[in-house]
Amino acid sequence: MTAITPPPVKTNPPKIVQIPANTNSNNLLKNKWIGSFMRSRWYPGIIQWPTLLVFMFIMFELILGPTTAHDNFGTALTWVLWWPIIPILFLFLGRFWCAICPFATINDLVQKFAGNKRPVPRFLKKYGIWIIDALFIFITWSDHVWGVVENPMGSGILMLTLTTGVIASGAFFERRSFCRYVCFLGGLSGNYARNGILQLRGTPEVCATCTVAACYKGGEKAEPCPLFEFPKTMTSSANCNICANCVKNCPNDSIQLTLRPPSKELWFIRKPKIEEAFLSAVIMGIVFVQNVTMLEAWTPMLAWLENAVGTTSYFVTFSISFLISMLIPISLLALASWVARKFNGESLLHNFTRFGYALIVLDMAAHMAHNLFHLLAEGKSILFTGMALFGQEAGHGLSTALMAPGLIQMLQFGLIGLGFLGSLYTAYRIAKANYAEGKLWGTFVPYAVLMVVLGAINVYLFVLPMAMRM
Amino acid sequence: MKKFTSTSVLVLFLLTLFVFPVTVLAGSGDGGDEITRTVEGYQVTVVFEKLASLGENPIHIRVVDAQKMPVSQAEVEISVVEVQEEYVEKPSAGQHNESGMEGMTEKPTAESSMSGMEGMSEKPAADNHTTDMESKPEKPQSEKTEIHDQMVKLAAGHEKGEYEGEISISNTGDATLRVHLTVQGELMEVDFPFHVSESQTGKIVLGGFFALNAAIIAAAVILKNKPVL
């Protein structure tokens, strides 16, 4: 009996580097459950598709459901549940939300069927973060002037506009260009993910000899990195959405997913960018605006401003308040940078750019503290509006709070305290990483004072009674 | 060039239908409405800035006296009385209303409207008690139910005799705007019937975005694989 052996097939398999396997014991991908789940074809789709369905429901509810935010289930799900939870997700899972974001899913779908996959326009690559900065400021401003959060239709239009943006991007440009260069939430999540505790990186000694670059280019198992990242050289989590495409594609098992202390990435930013530092100051300004406009003292403040400027136009009075709120953290950061330059000899802009990142920790804490109020003081509105959807009258005259106001306030102060300490320590580590002993303290102290001032403003705002949205 | 399979086209079509299943509908006019009524010599004019619709509706009220002089010292409150026609099954013999409240007929007053009357329905007293004559099963009958919303106090407007504020409307159909006018301690009530039509705005918005997105996708399909300009 003759054994039939098939003729050898000529193939060009990817070059596999023969090096010791990745043995980092902290690598979460070595965990049997996490590793196999993230490498499976079900990930992240099993979370992505239900999220898209929920999003569609929310969008319909916002546009066609009850016209008052108080009664709209879509409003409750979006602004009382999702929005408060999102910064918590960024802290623990980095930019994972972006992997399952319904807008990104729509982008991918349109791209699959109609995508032109053209290169990202150069101006987007160059000015992407500035566009995100501008969009973030504009959306926050328009929320107050035209009503987005407190008007279901406004929220629906915002979502439809973003949908149109991702459809256009997915239809004409490659990968997730919109998410990387335009999405305002992407910019926010990028900044916050730097402070997050999850880190995905290639193993340097494995990647050093790799010529395949399947992580960036994609392979048979998965699409290329949707956010144009190259794990081989990646030093930041700002643009990694933990989609695991690189994990699936890497023929060398080089990718590691590890835990790290919060804020650690911020201590060693290799190439700080002014637009990212500016965004962190802007976020602080936005937190101020959101807090101030919810205060019970906001109405008398507005009345005072109306008298001062001689007009009752909310467009004018809010815009002035908004501008002041934005300018406070920006100018305070600039002032601290101006003082620091006397000690370290570097320019104001250089210091502003480098130390702007230290604000991110306090930004995130203040953002969470603000949203905690919505989640815990208005949380039951999710149940009430959800029941109303099925014709069940519930919650009339009942409190929407899940927790006593005093307890919520304690949690808010706790968060602000942690954020303050985190920012303070980050400023110290940035100074330590960049300046010799003689310049270290002179550089650090102005930023320490800045953190004290910003922390105190936040604490003061949380001391004052707030009005509810739902 | 990759060819579209019929399945792909179908999936894409269904997807777009799923995302935006509403076709573009013509919108109704958005002009306001003005109604005038006279009560005890006072002429009360209600001005809806736009046609009454679900949600918050800005409203202005002008009050002039018999000499057509603006009345600026009045206290003006408004409430919406929504009239709902519904079919109800009459209770059979022996089924008594235990609360005893349901059948109460009372003229709505400022006090009752303000003390948590929201959603409470009032039925004619005759419905409260059943007799032997009524014990046989009856056909469902149509009843008009009045639902009173909370009262809203209007603020003085920019001109003399003008008052302004917002009312929240939560149902479509026929409704009555009840103006509670207090001049020199005397309370007068005057009703203004109006109709709340279903807003088409949401459908128009969805339709508009659907058309825009469909155009973008169509353009992308046409331009696919053509050289970049």
Side-chain angles (χ1 to χ4, degrees):
Chain A
M1 195 173 163
T2 313
I4 301 170
T5 48
V9 180
K10 281 187 180 178
T11 55
N12 293 318
K15 186 181 176 184
I16 296 170
V17 185
Q18 296 300 320
I19 54 124
N22 176 359
T23 52
N24 184 349
S25 59
N26 296 324
N27 185 359
L28 296 174
L29 294 172
K30 293 293 168 197
N31 177 286
K32 187 179 151 190
W33 301 104
I34 297 173
S36 57
F37 177 57
M38 288 185 71
R39 285 187 180 88
S40 83
R41 66 192 181 96
W42 297 102
Y43 178 84
I46 199 165
I47 312 169
Q48 202 176 9
W49 290 100
T51 309
L52 179 64
L53 290 175
V54 172
F55 167 74
M56 286 175 176
F57 165 76
I58 288 174
M59 201 151 68
F60 278 113
E61 177 69 0
L62 288 171
I63 299 282
L64 301 173
T67 52
T68 49
H70 179 270
D71 302 321
N72 194 296
F73 190 40
T75 299
L77 283 178
T78 308
W79 302 117
V80 178
L81 184 66
W82 172 76
W83 189 239
I85 282 177
I86 204 89
I88 301 169
L89 277 182
F90 294 146
L91 178 64
F92 290 103
L93 298 175
R95 239 182 120 161
F96 169 70
W97 166 258
C98 297
I100 59 161
C101 172
F103 295 113
T105 311
I106 292 171
N107 175 96
D108 296 353
L109 272 171
V110 172
Q111 198 164 66
K112 189 171 183 180
F113 292 108
N116 283 231
K117 298 185 181 175
R118 296 179 185 190
V120 182
R122 202 173 298 166
F123 82 92
L124 270 187
K125 283 185 180 174
K126 198 172 177 185
Y127 301 111
I129 301 286
W130 283 118
I131 294 169
I132 286 170
D133 287 358
L135 271 177
F136 204 1
I137 291 171
F138 174 73
I139 288 170
T140 310
W141 176 83
S142 59
D143 169 28
H144 290 271
V145 174
W146 296 318
V148 174
V149 173
E150 290 176 9
N151 174 6
M153 177 67 79
S155 301
I157 289 175
L158 172 66
M159 292 202 178
L160 285 169
T161 308
L162 289 170
T163 304
T164 304
V166 288
I167 284 178
S169 174
F172 293 104
F173 302 110
E174 58 181 336
R175 309 194 192 185
R176 293 184 185 174
S177 303
F178 184 90
C179 310
R180 170 77 194 248
Y181 297 107
V182 185
C183 178
F184 73 97
L185 187 58
L188 179 81
S189 58
N191 257 16
Y192 284 179
R194 292 175 193 276
N195 187 36
I197 62 169
L198 204 57
Q199 168 179 285
L200 184 144
R201 299 285 188 273
T203 311
E205 53 272 29
V206 178
C207 295
T209 49
C210 172
T211 54
V212 182
C215 52
Y216 179 78
K217 295 177 186 168
E220 285 176 8
K221 290 181 183 170
E223 293 288 312
C225 174
L227 294 179
F228 307 90
E229 279 295 297
F230 190 19
K232 180 176 178 175
T233 56
M234 195 166 82
T235 56
S236 167
S237 296
N239 291 306
C240 172
N241 64 6
I242 325 280
C243 68
N245 282 1
C246 56
V247 177
K248 292 171 191 170
N249 283 326
C250 180
N252 304 314
D253 193 22
S254 169
I255 307 297
Q256 297 183 37
L257 186 66
T258 52
L259 296 176
R260 62 184 182 185
S263 84
K264 189 177 179 183
E265 183 181 318
L266 301 168
W267 308 344
F268 312 104
I269 301 284
R270 278 191 203 166
K271 290 179 185 172
K273 291 179 180 169
I274 175 74
E275 57 268 39
E276 287 173 351
F278 184 79
L279 180 63
S280 66
V282 161
I283 292 169
M284 184 59 72
I286 285 172
V287 171
F288 287 167
V289 170
Q290 301 292 20
N291 279 335
V292 167
T293 54
M294 278 181 63
L295 296 178
E296 286 174 3
W298 171 238
T299 311
M301 282 164 70
L302 211 56
W304 179 85
L305 198 59
E306 283 172 357
N307 283 331
V309 297
T311 175
T312 56
S313 164
Y314 188 69
F315 179 88
V316 174
T317 52
F318 175 74
S319 297
I320 293 170
S321 319
F322 185 77
L323 194 66
I324 293 169
S325 297
M326 290 292 128
L327 283 177
I328 289 172
I330 294 169
S331 51
L332 285 177
L333 178 60
L335 181 66
S337 303
W338 181 78
V339 176
R341 71 188 272 273
K342 306 237 178 237
F343 294 96
N344 62 29
E346 290 192 295
S347 71
L348 186 153
L349 202 63
H350 201 100
N351 279 311
F352 185 100
T353 305
R354 179 165 279 158
F355 285 91
Y357 289 86
L359 284 183
I360 290 175
V361 191
L362 187 57
D363 278 347
M364 203 169 177
H367 188 168
M368 280 184 190
H370 171 85
N371 284 352
L372 209 62
F373 177 80
H374 293 302
L375 184 67
L376 300 178
E378 300 171 346
K380 280 188 189 166
S381 65
I382 301 164
L383 178 71
F384 297 155
T385 53
M387 286 172 75
L389 204 67
F390 299 100
Q392 303 296 311
E393 289 277 327
H396 279 296
L398 295 177
S399 165
T400 55
L402 293 169
M403 217 178 252
L407 200 54
I408 297 172
Q409 211 170 33
M410 290 304 292
L411 288 171
Q412 287 176 321
F413 292 146
L415 278 170
I416 294 295
L418 286 173
F420 163 72
L421 290 175
S423 275
L424 198 68
Y425 186 65
T426 302
Y428 169 75
R429 291 300 299 248
I430 294 172
K432 194 180 176 195
N434 291 283
Y435 304 104
E437 194 70 31
K439 293 179 178 178
L440 169 63
W441 292 103
T443 305
F444 168 66
V445 169
Y447 293 105
V449 173
L450 170 74
M451 300 313 166
V452 170
V453 172
L454 291 176
I457 294 174
N458 273 296
V459 167
Y460 178 68
L461 289 175
F462 287 118
V463 166
L464 299 173
M466 278 190 178
M468 295 212 195
R469 187 161 57 193
M470 293 295 287
Chain B
M1 178 180 166
K2 245 183 181 177
K3 279 185 181 174
F4 270 102
T5 62
S6 53
T7 319
S8 306
V9 174
L10 187 66
V11 167
L12 190 61
F13 177 70
L14 287 175
L15 184 81
T16 46
L17 274 185
F18 189 38
V19 181
F20 305 111
V22 186
T23 52
V24 183
L25 295 172
S28 56
D30 207 26
D33 206 359
E34 187 171 316
I35 320 165
T36 302
R37 290 270 190 280
T38 304
V39 53
E40 294 180 31
Y42 292 98
Q43 204 176 70
V44 182
T45 305
V46 170
V47 184
F48 282 94
E49 279 187 11
K50 54 183 183 177
L51 282 179
S53 59
L54 293 177
E56 298 295 329
N57 287 261
I59 199 163
H60 294 262
I61 289 180
R62 288 194 302 269
V63 185
V64 293
D65 61 17
Q67 285 76 44
K68 307 288 179 196
M69 295 298 289
V71 178
S72 52
Q73 297 300 319
E75 192 175 291
V76 183
E77 291 174 305
I78 55 172
S79 60
V80 178
V81 183
E82 291 169 11
V83 183
Q84 283 190 345
E85 199 160 320
E86 57 185 27
Y87 288 98
V88 290
E89 198 76 53
K90 286 206 169 185
S92 56
Q95 289 182 326
H96 291 279
N97 186 336
E98 287 178 9
S99 72
M101 284 290 287
E102 206 176 310
M104 268 178 70
T105 307
E106 68 183 345
K107 190 187 171 193
T109 61
E111 289 73 25
S112 64
S113 297
M114 285 177 80
S115 55
M117 290 288 282
E118 195 180 350
M120 190 170 164
S121 55
E122 296 167 2
K123 291 176 183 175
D127 291 350
N128 200 25
H129 305 285
T130 54
T131 63
D132 288 339
M133 289 288 284
E134 295 169 334
S135 62
K136 61 183 178 185
E138 287 184 60
K139 279 184 183 177
Q141 287 189 356
S142 168
E143 279 186 0
K144 286 195 171 177
T145 309
E146 284 190 350
I147 299 173
H148 299 265
D149 274 0
Q150 282 192 327
M151 291 228 287
V152 176
K153 188 174 179 179
L154 300 190
H158 294 294
E159 291 176 21
K160 276 188 175 179
E162 190 181 86
Y163 303 86
E164 59 191 24
E166 277 190 345
I167 50 163
S168 179
I169 300 173
S170 50
N171 289 308
T172 55
D174 289 326
T176 301
L177 180 79
R178 184 159 294 161
V179 176
H180 311 260
L181 178 69
T182 310
V183 183
Q184 292 172 344
E186 190 187 349
L187 173 68
M188 292 157 274
E189 287 183 350
V190 54
D191 287 353
F192 294 83
F194 66 100
H195 184 78
V196 186
S197 52
E198 194 177 352
S199 173
Q200 300 292 324
T201 314
K203 291 171 183 174
I204 294 165
V205 167
L206 276 178
F209 273 98
F210 168 74
L212 178 62
N213 291 329
I216 292 169
I217 293 171
V221 170
I222 293 165
L223 294 170
K224 199 174 180 184
N225 286 349
K226 284 191 176 174
V228 180
L229 293 175

